[in-house]
Amino acid sequence: MKTILLTGFEPFLDFPVNPTMRVAEELDGTVVGDYEITSRILPVDFNRAEARLMGLIREVEPDVTVSLGLAGGRSKMTPERIAINVQDGAPDNEGNQPVDKPINEDAPDAYFSTLPVREMVNALVDAGLPAEISNTAGTYLCNNVMFGGLHYAATERPGMRAGFIHIPASHELAIQHGRIPSWSHEDLLRGVRICLETIADGR
């Protein structure tokens, strides 16, 4: 059976709950098509997140790597089209705050996702879930991890598909945060599963 490595993130900044963590954990060990899902959680740390992902890829040897991130404030599920070679943004959970720093001096300026982003969006919309392609993963840890996974695929693991999906806040997080749109956990879980099924179907 083939393998999808699915990653979520721990809570960060002013988000005391990260719905990607619960979604990833609940999908761990499930099967979609010919793929078994192996889920892991990444730290919100510029110095460790990418290295942790690389270690997991070497350990799991997945056919596909899909990373999830919270986009607090977005109301749609948004597969990311592109990752750029920049670290910048608010402090991470360890207080690191790079400014205009390349992720990898020897890497290209950007990588496009190798996941079927348009097909995932179409499948989500067909299922009644708001979705659109996003053309910016930002410059924080989500972009960092997406870029790292695609660079590793391009240089060390040819044939592995990789990419990133941003999801909205859960109702639980929105209640605690107070100022962001949200989805039910059940819809977040269903939406991510639809994306994984689309990948597994080879669309």
Side-chain angles (χ1 to χ4, degrees):
M1 182 164 281
K2 299 177 183 179
T3 303
I4 295 175
L5 173 62
L6 180 67
T7 68
F9 277 109
E10 65 186 3
F12 66 105
L13 299 178
D14 59 344
F15 301 113
V17 174
N18 193 329
T20 67
M21 190 172 181
R22 184 177 171 192
V23 168
E25 289 173 345
E26 290 190 15
L27 287 172
D28 185 36
T30 62
V31 173
V32 290
D34 295 330
Y35 293 79
E36 182 174 6
I37 299 169
T38 297
S39 299
R40 298 289 186 270
I41 306 304
L42 301 178
V44 178
D45 181 342
F46 279 109
N47 293 332
R48 294 191 297 127
E50 183 183 356
R52 170 67 172 152
L53 179 62
M54 302 308 102
L56 290 171
I57 293 172
R58 287 189 289 270
E59 171 194 333
V60 176
E61 298 185 340
D63 299 278
V64 184
T65 295
V66 180
S67 296
L68 304 176
L70 167 66
R74 289 188 191 177
S75 58
K76 297 180 179 181
M77 193 162 285
T78 51
E80 294 294 341
R81 193 194 301 270
I82 190 168
I84 61 174
N85 193 358
V86 176
Q87 292 179 333
D88 195 280
D92 64 20
N93 283 354
E94 302 302 318
N96 304 304
Q97 190 174 15
V99 177
D100 300 335
K101 180 182 176 183
I103 296 170
N104 187 325
E105 295 277 4
D106 300 319
D109 292 337
Y111 282 106
F112 283 99
S113 173
T114 52
L115 302 181
V117 292
R118 176 63 64 189
E119 291 80 2
M120 288 192 288
V121 165
N122 290 344
L124 288 164
V125 172
D126 287 347
L129 296 173
E132 64 184 6
I133 293 175
S134 168
N135 291 310
T136 174
T139 54
Y140 197 53
L141 267 297
C142 293
N143 174 77
N144 200 152
V145 162
M146 180 181 177
F147 187 92
L150 287 164
H151 181 66
Y152 191 88
T155 59
E156 302 291 338
R157 195 171 170 79
M160 183 187 80
R161 290 180 290 166
F164 199 96
I165 303 168
H166 266 119
I167 69 173
S170 60
H171 292 336
E172 178 187 10
L173 173 56
I175 289 168
Q176 294 187 46
H177 188 278
R179 299 184 306 279
I180 52 177
S182 61
W183 286 21
S184 70
H185 170 71
E186 291 73 22
D187 279 346
L188 291 173
L189 189 67
R190 183 164 69 99
V192 172
R193 188 176 180 94
I194 287 169
C195 290
L196 299 178
E197 289 170 348
T198 303
I199 295 167
D201 287 345
R203 284 182 271 171

PDB file of all heavy atoms in Angstrom, residues 48-80:
ATOM      1  N   ARG A  48      13.421  24.240  13.631  1.00  0.00           N
ATOM      2  CA  ARG A  48      13.203  22.799  13.744  1.00  0.00           C
ATOM      3  C   ARG A  48      12.141  22.216  12.818  1.00  0.00           C
ATOM      4  O   ARG A  48      12.174  21.021  12.520  1.00  0.00           O
ATOM      5  CB  ARG A  48      12.823  22.439  15.193  1.00  0.00           C
ATOM      6  CG  ARG A  48      13.910  22.661  16.208  1.00  0.00           C
ATOM      7  CD  ARG A  48      13.550  22.033  17.545  1.00  0.00           C
ATOM      8  NE  ARG A  48      12.363  22.633  18.144  1.00  0.00           N
ATOM      9  CZ  ARG A  48      11.288  21.954  18.560  1.00  0.00           C
ATOM     10  NH1 ARG A  48      11.238  20.641  18.426  1.00  0.00           N
ATOM     11  NH2 ARG A  48      10.256  22.574  19.117  1.00  0.00           N
ATOM     12  N   ALA A  49      11.190  23.022  12.362  1.00  0.00           N
ATOM     13  CA  ALA A  49      10.046  22.475  11.627  1.00  0.00           C
ATOM     14  C   ALA A  49      10.463  21.789  10.327  1.00  0.00           C
ATOM     15  O   ALA A  49      10.049  20.659  10.037  1.00  0.00           O
ATOM     16  CB  ALA A  49       9.025  23.572  11.349  1.00  0.00           C
ATOM     17  N   GLU A  50      11.275  22.464   9.527  1.00  0.00           N
ATOM     18  CA  GLU A  50      11.679  21.884   8.250  1.00  0.00           C
ATOM     19  C   GLU A  50      12.508  20.621   8.465  1.00  0.00           C
ATOM     20  O   GLU A  50      12.305  19.603   7.793  1.00  0.00           O
ATOM     21  CB  GLU A  50      12.461  22.900   7.427  1.00  0.00           C
ATOM     22  CG  GLU A  50      12.843  22.398   6.056  1.00  0.00           C
ATOM     23  CD  GLU A  50      13.686  23.401   5.282  1.00  0.00           C
ATOM     24  OE1 GLU A  50      13.911  24.523   5.773  1.00  0.00           O
ATOM     25  OE2 GLU A  50      14.127  23.040   4.170  1.00  0.00           O
ATOM     26  N   ALA A  51      13.438  20.682   9.419  1.00  0.00           N
ATOM     27  CA  ALA A  51      14.268  19.505   9.708  1.00  0.00           C
ATOM     28  C   ALA A  51      13.418  18.345  10.200  1.00  0.00           C
ATOM     29  O   ALA A  51      13.670  17.180   9.853  1.00  0.00           O
ATOM     30  CB  ALA A  51      15.333  19.863  10.738  1.00  0.00           C
ATOM     31  N   ARG A  52      12.401  18.636  10.994  1.00  0.00           N
ATOM     32  CA  ARG A  52      11.494  17.596  11.475  1.00  0.00           C
ATOM     33  C   ARG A  52      10.765  16.954  10.303  1.00  0.00           C
ATOM     34  O   ARG A  52      10.631  15.729  10.239  1.00  0.00           O
ATOM     35  CB  ARG A  52      10.505  18.204  12.471  1.00  0.00           C
ATOM     36  CG  ARG A  52       9.343  17.304  12.882  1.00  0.00           C
ATOM     37  CD  ARG A  52       9.767  16.120  13.691  1.00  0.00           C
ATOM     38  NE  ARG A  52       8.616  15.399  14.227  1.00  0.00           N
ATOM     39  CZ  ARG A  52       8.609  14.106  14.497  1.00  0.00           C
ATOM     40  NH1 ARG A  52       9.697  13.374  14.303  1.00  0.00           N
ATOM     41  NH2 ARG A  52       7.523  13.522  14.989  1.00  0.00           N
ATOM     42  N   LEU A  53      10.294  17.768   9.359  1.00  0.00           N
ATOM     43  CA  LEU A  53       9.606  17.222   8.195  1.00  0.00           C
ATOM     44  C   LEU A  53      10.545  16.337   7.375  1.00  0.00           C
ATOM     45  O   LEU A  53      10.164  15.245   6.943  1.00  0.00           O
ATOM     46  CB  LEU A  53       9.043  18.344   7.322  1.00  0.00           C
ATOM     47  CG  LEU A  53       8.314  17.884   6.051  1.00  0.00           C
ATOM     48  CD1 LEU A  53       7.093  17.042   6.388  1.00  0.00           C
ATOM     49  CD2 LEU A  53       7.930  19.077   5.184  1.00  0.00           C
ATOM     50  N   MET A  54      11.781  16.788   7.156  1.00  0.00           N
ATOM     51  CA  MET A  54      12.735  15.986   6.393  1.00  0.00           C
ATOM     52  C   MET A  54      12.988  14.644   7.082  1.00  0.00           C
ATOM     53  O   MET A  54      13.064  13.600   6.435  1.00  0.00           O
ATOM     54  CB  MET A  54      14.067  16.725   6.234  1.00  0.00           C
ATOM     55  CG  MET A  54      14.007  18.082   5.551  1.00  0.00           C
ATOM     56  SD  MET A  54      13.154  18.096   3.975  1.00  0.00           S
ATOM     57  CE  MET A  54      11.578  18.807   4.439  1.00  0.00           C
ATOM     58  N   GLY A  55      13.097  14.678   8.399  1.00  0.00           N
ATOM     59  CA  GLY A  55      13.295  13.441   9.146  1.00  0.00           C
ATOM     60  C   GLY A  55      12.118  12.496   9.002  1.00  0.00           C
ATOM     61  O   GLY A  55      12.296  11.278   8.871  1.00  0.00           O
ATOM     62  N   LEU A  56      10.923  13.039   9.012  1.00  0.00           N
ATOM     63  CA  LEU A  56       9.722  12.210   8.854  1.00  0.00           C
ATOM     64  C   LEU A  56       9.649  11.607   7.456  1.00  0.00           C
ATOM     65  O   LEU A  56       9.256  10.446   7.292  1.00  0.00           O
ATOM     66  CB  LEU A  56       8.473  13.045   9.130  1.00  0.00           C
ATOM     67  CG  LEU A  56       8.244  13.463  10.585  1.00  0.00           C
ATOM     68  CD1 LEU A  56       7.091  14.456  10.678  1.00  0.00           C
ATOM     69  CD2 LEU A  56       7.964  12.244  11.457  1.00  0.00           C
ATOM     70  N   ILE A  57      10.032  12.378   6.449  1.00  0.00           N
ATOM     71  CA  ILE A  57      10.018  11.844   5.081  1.00  0.00           C
ATOM     72  C   ILE A  57      11.007  10.690   4.957  1.00  0.00           C
ATOM     73  O   ILE A  57      10.692   9.649   4.355  1.00  0.00           O
ATOM     74  CB  ILE A  57      10.333  12.958   4.057  1.00  0.00           C
ATOM     75  CG1 ILE A  57       9.187  13.987   4.030  1.00  0.00           C
ATOM     76  CG2 ILE A  57      10.553  12.360   2.672  1.00  0.00           C
ATOM     77  CD1 ILE A  57       9.481  15.218   3.200  1.00  0.00           C
ATOM     78  N   ARG A  58      12.178  10.846   5.544  1.00  0.00           N
ATOM     79  CA  ARG A  58      13.157   9.755   5.500  1.00  0.00           C
ATOM     80  C   ARG A  58      12.661   8.534   6.276  1.00  0.00           C
ATOM     81  O   ARG A  58      12.896   7.390   5.883  1.00  0.00           O
ATOM     82  CB  ARG A  58      14.498  10.239   6.058  1.00  0.00           C
ATOM     83  CG  ARG A  58      15.249  11.186   5.125  1.00  0.00           C
ATOM     84  CD  ARG A  58      16.645  11.459   5.616  1.00  0.00           C
ATOM     85  NE  ARG A  58      16.663  12.295   6.797  1.00  0.00           N
ATOM     86  CZ  ARG A  58      16.719  13.623   6.775  1.00  0.00           C
ATOM     87  NH1 ARG A  58      16.780  14.276   5.612  1.00  0.00           N
ATOM     88  NH2 ARG A  58      16.737  14.317   7.904  1.00  0.00           N
ATOM     89  N   GLU A  59      11.957   8.768   7.371  1.00  0.00           N
ATOM     90  CA  GLU A  59      11.447   7.668   8.199  1.00  0.00           C
ATOM     91  C   GLU A  59      10.279   6.952   7.535  1.00  0.00           C
ATOM     92  O   GLU A  59      10.242   5.717   7.462  1.00  0.00           O
ATOM     93  CB  GLU A  59      11.012   8.225   9.559  1.00  0.00           C
ATOM     94  CG  GLU A  59      10.275   7.245  10.452  1.00  0.00           C
ATOM     95  CD  GLU A  59       9.581   7.926  11.623  1.00  0.00           C
ATOM     96  OE1 GLU A  59      10.043   9.001  12.056  1.00  0.00           O
ATOM     97  OE2 GLU A  59       8.575   7.379  12.098  1.00  0.00           O
ATOM     98  N   VAL A  60       9.312   7.706   7.057  1.00  0.00           N
ATOM     99  CA  VAL A  60       8.071   7.137   6.524  1.00  0.00           C
ATOM    100  C   VAL A  60       8.211   6.717   5.058  1.00  0.00           C
ATOM    101  O   VAL A  60       7.548   5.785   4.614  1.00  0.00           O
ATOM    102  CB  VAL A  60       6.912   8.152   6.689  1.00  0.00           C
ATOM    103  CG1 VAL A  60       5.628   7.648   6.061  1.00  0.00           C
ATOM    104  CG2 VAL A  60       6.703   8.470   8.174  1.00  0.00           C
ATOM    105  N   GLU A  61       9.069   7.411   4.313  1.00  0.00           N
ATOM    106  CA  GLU A  61       9.234   7.185   2.872  1.00  0.00           C
ATOM    107  C   GLU A  61       7.898   7.252   2.138  1.00  0.00           C
ATOM    108  O   GLU A  61       7.482   6.313   1.441  1.00  0.00           O
ATOM    109  CB  GLU A  61       9.930   5.843   2.607  1.00  0.00           C
ATOM    110  CG  GLU A  61      11.334   5.772   3.191  1.00  0.00           C
ATOM    111  CD  GLU A  61      12.060   4.495   2.812  1.00  0.00           C
ATOM    112  OE1 GLU A  61      11.385   3.508   2.426  1.00  0.00           O
ATOM    113  OE2 GLU A  61      13.301   4.480   2.892  1.00  0.00           O
ATOM    114  N   PRO A  62       7.195   8.378   2.273  1.00  0.00           N
ATOM    115  CA  PRO A  62       5.858   8.484   1.683  1.00  0.00           C
ATOM    116  C   PRO A  62       5.902   8.674   0.171  1.00  0.00           C
ATOM    117  O   PRO A  62       6.894   9.142  -0.400  1.00  0.00           O
ATOM    118  CB  PRO A  62       5.294   9.735   2.363  1.00  0.00           C
ATOM    119  CG  PRO A  62       6.506  10.587   2.594  1.00  0.00           C
ATOM    120  CD  PRO A  62       7.595   9.612   2.955  1.00  0.00           C
ATOM    121  N   ASP A  63       4.799   8.342  -0.465  1.00  0.00           N
ATOM    122  CA  ASP A  63       4.615   8.643  -1.881  1.00  0.00           C
ATOM    123  C   ASP A  63       4.130  10.080  -2.065  1.00  0.00           C
ATOM    124  O   ASP A  63       4.380  10.701  -3.100  1.00  0.00           O
ATOM    125  CB  ASP A  63       3.593   7.670  -2.482  1.00  0.00           C
ATOM    126  CG  ASP A  63       4.064   6.228  -2.364  1.00  0.00           C
ATOM    127  OD1 ASP A  63       4.858   5.796  -3.211  1.00  0.00           O
ATOM    128  OD2 ASP A  63       3.651   5.559  -1.400  1.00  0.00           O
ATOM    129  N   VAL A  64       3.431  10.574  -1.058  1.00  0.00           N
ATOM    130  CA  VAL A  64       2.885  11.933  -1.079  1.00  0.00           C
ATOM    131  C   VAL A  64       3.059  12.544   0.309  1.00  0.00           C
ATOM    132  O   VAL A  64       2.849  11.859   1.318  1.00  0.00           O
ATOM    133  CB  VAL A  64       1.377  11.934  -1.443  1.00  0.00           C
ATOM    134  CG1 VAL A  64       0.853  13.366  -1.546  1.00  0.00           C
ATOM    135  CG2 VAL A  64       1.106  11.171  -2.723  1.00  0.00           C
ATOM    136  N   THR A  65       3.444  13.812   0.350  1.00  0.00           N
ATOM    137  CA  THR A  65       3.493  14.541   1.615  1.00  0.00           C
ATOM    138  C   THR A  65       2.519  15.708   1.540  1.00  0.00           C
ATOM    139  O   THR A  65       2.601  16.533   0.618  1.00  0.00           O
ATOM    140  CB  THR A  65       4.906  15.074   1.902  1.00  0.00           C
ATOM    141  OG1 THR A  65       5.797  13.971   2.080  1.00  0.00           O
ATOM    142  CG2 THR A  65       4.927  15.928   3.164  1.00  0.00           C
ATOM    143  N   VAL A  66       1.588  15.759   2.475  1.00  0.00           N
ATOM    144  CA  VAL A  66       0.593  16.834   2.542  1.00  0.00           C
ATOM    145  C   VAL A  66       0.703  17.487   3.913  1.00  0.00           C
ATOM    146  O   VAL A  66       0.515  16.825   4.936  1.00  0.00           O
ATOM    147  CB  VAL A  66      -0.838  16.307   2.344  1.00  0.00           C
ATOM    148  CG1 VAL A  66      -1.842  17.453   2.425  1.00  0.00           C
ATOM    149  CG2 VAL A  66      -0.971  15.581   1.015  1.00  0.00           C
ATOM    150  N   SER A  67       1.000  18.767   3.930  1.00  0.00           N
ATOM    151  CA  SER A  67       1.072  19.497   5.195  1.00  0.00           C
ATOM    152  C   SER A  67      -0.146  20.400   5.329  1.00  0.00           C
ATOM    153  O   SER A  67      -0.579  21.018   4.358  1.00  0.00           O
ATOM    154  CB  SER A  67       2.358  20.329   5.263  1.00  0.00           C
ATOM    155  OG  SER A  67       3.491  19.484   5.267  1.00  0.00           O
ATOM    156  N   LEU A  68      -0.683  20.440   6.538  1.00  0.00           N
ATOM    157  CA  LEU A  68      -1.831  21.287   6.847  1.00  0.00           C
ATOM    158  C   LEU A  68      -1.393  22.462   7.698  1.00  0.00           C
ATOM    159  O   LEU A  68      -0.517  22.323   8.566  1.00  0.00           O
ATOM    160  CB  LEU A  68      -2.887  20.501   7.616  1.00  0.00           C
ATOM    161  CG  LEU A  68      -3.438  19.225   6.991  1.00  0.00           C
ATOM    162  CD1 LEU A  68      -4.409  18.557   7.959  1.00  0.00           C
ATOM    163  CD2 LEU A  68      -4.097  19.508   5.654  1.00  0.00           C
ATOM    164  N   GLY A  69      -2.018  23.602   7.478  1.00  0.00           N
ATOM    165  CA  GLY A  69      -1.746  24.769   8.305  1.00  0.00           C
ATOM    166  C   GLY A  69      -3.015  25.539   8.573  1.00  0.00           C
ATOM    167  O   GLY A  69      -3.966  25.512   7.768  1.00  0.00           O
ATOM    168  N   LEU A  70      -3.037  26.219   9.690  1.00  0.00           N
ATOM    169  CA  LEU A  70      -4.171  27.069  10.058  1.00  0.00           C
ATOM    170  C   LEU A  70      -4.035  28.426   9.393  1.00  0.00           C
ATOM    171  O   LEU A  70      -2.990  29.076   9.510  1.00  0.00           O
ATOM    172  CB  LEU A  70      -4.223  27.237  11.572  1.00  0.00           C
ATOM    173  CG  LEU A  70      -5.145  28.333  12.110  1.00  0.00           C
ATOM    174  CD1 LEU A  70      -6.602  28.016  11.814  1.00  0.00           C
ATOM    175  CD2 LEU A  70      -4.922  28.537  13.602  1.00  0.00           C
ATOM    176  N   ALA A  71      -5.082  28.854   8.708  1.00  0.00           N
ATOM    177  CA  ALA A  71      -5.149  30.214   8.184  1.00  0.00           C
ATOM    178  C   ALA A  71      -6.249  30.929   8.954  1.00  0.00           C
ATOM    179  O   ALA A  71      -7.394  31.011   8.502  1.00  0.00           O
ATOM    180  CB  ALA A  71      -5.439  30.220   6.694  1.00  0.00           C
ATOM    181  N   GLY A  72      -5.923  31.400  10.150  1.00  0.00           N
ATOM    182  CA  GLY A  72      -6.892  32.090  10.983  1.00  0.00           C
ATOM    183  C   GLY A  72      -7.357  33.366  10.302  1.00  0.00           C
ATOM    184  O   GLY A  72      -6.552  34.270  10.075  1.00  0.00           O
ATOM    185  N   GLY A  73      -8.618  33.441   9.934  1.00  0.00           N
ATOM    186  CA  GLY A  73      -9.141  34.594   9.212  1.00  0.00           C
ATOM    187  C   GLY A  73      -9.677  34.225   7.848  1.00  0.00           C
ATOM    188  O   GLY A  73     -10.554  34.912   7.311  1.00  0.00           O
ATOM    189  N   ARG A  74      -9.175  33.131   7.262  1.00  0.00           N
ATOM    190  CA  ARG A  74      -9.735  32.670   5.994  1.00  0.00           C
ATOM    191  C   ARG A  74     -11.032  31.912   6.257  1.00  0.00           C
ATOM    192  O   ARG A  74     -11.153  31.211   7.256  1.00  0.00           O
ATOM    193  CB  ARG A  74      -8.757  31.760   5.246  1.00  0.00           C
ATOM    194  CG  ARG A  74      -7.554  32.484   4.672  1.00  0.00           C
ATOM    195  CD  ARG A  74      -6.721  31.577   3.778  1.00  0.00           C
ATOM    196  NE  ARG A  74      -5.442  32.201   3.447  1.00  0.00           N
ATOM    197  CZ  ARG A  74      -4.484  31.623   2.723  1.00  0.00           C
ATOM    198  NH1 ARG A  74      -4.685  30.400   2.240  1.00  0.00           N
ATOM    199  NH2 ARG A  74      -3.345  32.254   2.479  1.00  0.00           N
ATOM    200  N   SER A  75     -11.965  32.044   5.330  1.00  0.00           N
ATOM    201  CA  SER A  75     -13.253  31.362   5.474  1.00  0.00           C
ATOM    202  C   SER A  75     -13.378  30.162   4.543  1.00  0.00           C
ATOM    203  O   SER A  75     -14.384  29.455   4.590  1.00  0.00           O
ATOM    204  CB  SER A  75     -14.401  32.339   5.189  1.00  0.00           C
ATOM    205  OG  SER A  75     -14.278  32.877   3.874  1.00  0.00           O
ATOM    206  N   LYS A  76     -12.358  29.944   3.701  1.00  0.00           N
ATOM    207  CA  LYS A  76     -12.387  28.833   2.752  1.00  0.00           C
ATOM    208  C   LYS A  76     -11.200  27.914   2.979  1.00  0.00           C
ATOM    209  O   LYS A  76     -10.166  28.330   3.511  1.00  0.00           O
ATOM    210  CB  LYS A  76     -12.353  29.356   1.316  1.00  0.00           C
ATOM    211  CG  LYS A  76     -13.547  30.210   0.929  1.00  0.00           C
ATOM    212  CD  LYS A  76     -13.435  30.683  -0.509  1.00  0.00           C
ATOM    213  CE  LYS A  76     -14.648  31.525  -0.901  1.00  0.00           C
ATOM    214  NZ  LYS A  76     -14.572  31.969  -2.319  1.00  0.00           N
ATOM    215  N   MET A  77     -11.337  26.658   2.548  1.00  0.00           N
ATOM    216  CA  MET A  77     -10.205  25.744   2.523  1.00  0.00           C
ATOM    217  C   MET A  77      -9.393  26.071   1.275  1.00  0.00           C
ATOM    218  O   MET A  77      -9.953  26.195   0.181  1.00  0.00           O
ATOM    219  CB  MET A  77     -10.676  24.297   2.522  1.00  0.00           C
ATOM    220  CG  MET A  77      -9.585  23.295   2.801  1.00  0.00           C
ATOM    221  SD  MET A  77     -10.201  21.645   3.304  1.00  0.00           S
ATOM    222  CE  MET A  77     -10.710  21.952   4.996  1.00  0.00           C
ATOM    223  N   THR A  78      -8.079  26.236   1.443  1.00  0.00           N
ATOM    224  CA  THR A  78      -7.278  26.779   0.354  1.00  0.00           C
ATOM    225  C   THR A  78      -6.002  25.978   0.115  1.00  0.00           C
ATOM    226  O   THR A  78      -4.983  26.196   0.782  1.00  0.00           O
ATOM    227  CB  THR A  78      -6.901  28.254   0.648  1.00  0.00           C
ATOM    228  OG1 THR A  78      -6.345  28.341   1.966  1.00  0.00           O
ATOM    229  CG2 THR A  78      -8.110  29.153   0.559  1.00  0.00           C
ATOM    230  N   PRO A  79      -6.021  25.048  -0.833  1.00  0.00           N
ATOM    231  CA  PRO A  79      -4.770  24.427  -1.263  1.00  0.00           C
ATOM    232  C   PRO A  79      -3.830  25.507  -1.811  1.00  0.00           C
ATOM    233  O   PRO A  79      -4.258  26.416  -2.534  1.00  0.00           O
ATOM    234  CB  PRO A  79      -5.213  23.465  -2.365  1.00  0.00           C
ATOM    235  CG  PRO A  79      -6.659  23.192  -2.088  1.00  0.00           C
ATOM    236  CD  PRO A  79      -7.195  24.476  -1.533  1.00  0.00           C
ATOM    237  N   GLU A  80      -2.570  25.410  -1.446  1.00  0.00           N
ATOM    238  CA  GLU A  80      -1.596  26.424  -1.846  1.00  0.00           C
ATOM    239  C   GLU A  80      -0.950  26.067  -3.186  1.00  0.00           C
ATOM    240  O   GLU A  80      -0.563  24.931  -3.423  1.00  0.00           O
ATOM    241  CB  GLU A  80      -0.515  26.570  -0.775  1.00  0.00           C
ATOM    242  CG  GLU A  80      -1.025  27.117   0.552  1.00  0.00           C
ATOM    243  CD  GLU A  80      -1.521  28.550   0.464  1.00  0.00           C
ATOM    244  OE1 GLU A  80      -1.152  29.258  -0.503  1.00  0.00           O
ATOM    245  OE2 GLU A  80      -2.279  28.967   1.367  1.00  0.00           O
TER     246      GLU A  80
END
